[in-house]
Amino acid sequence: MEGTCGICKGRLGPIHYDEPSDPQHPLSFVIDEIKPVSRWREFGYESPRAAAEDWNNLQPAHYCCNAFKSNQIAGKGQVLAQKIVKDGTW
Ligand SMILES: [Zn+2]
């Protein structure tokens, strides 16, 4: 599962696999569900579990990208994330 962040497509740089996944490490590694499991019916899954266990529905991502996505403010989040990288602060 190593690779580029599937949300920002690597625009924020490589994922920091060696850091803990917490808000202090916005570029740390998390597993992102491409299609939100909570909307499993919309995507044709038989159950929420089927969505959560579909490897094709999982991708590596930055902690910050995943957090912004799950807050459903992706557009605004990417601007914030770019700011984080630019001035190195959360
Ligand atoms: Zn990212």
Side-chain angles (χ1 to χ4, degrees), residues 2-74:
E2 287 202 23
T4 307
C5 171
I7 299 175
C8 71
K9 310 295 182 189
R11 274 178 290 172
L12 299 184
I15 296 169
H16 294 188
Y17 288 97
D18 56 340
E19 294 178 349
S21 297
D22 61 37
Q24 307 305 314
H25 299 89
L27 297 180
S28 58
F29 167 70
V30 294
I31 293 284
D32 176 55
E33 290 143 3
I34 298 167
K35 302 164 189 165
V37 169
S38 61
R39 293 167 59 192
W40 57 277
R41 281 179 216 271
E42 289 177 47
F43 298 112
Y45 289 108
E46 294 178 2
S47 66
R49 186 184 173 122
E53 293 182 347
D54 178 6
W55 282 97
N56 293 323
N57 190 34
L58 303 176
Q59 63 184 356
H62 293 122
Y63 183 93
C64 62
C65 294
N66 179 259
F68 289 135
K69 181 183 167 187
S70 57
N71 289 338
Q72 297 184 330
I73 52 168

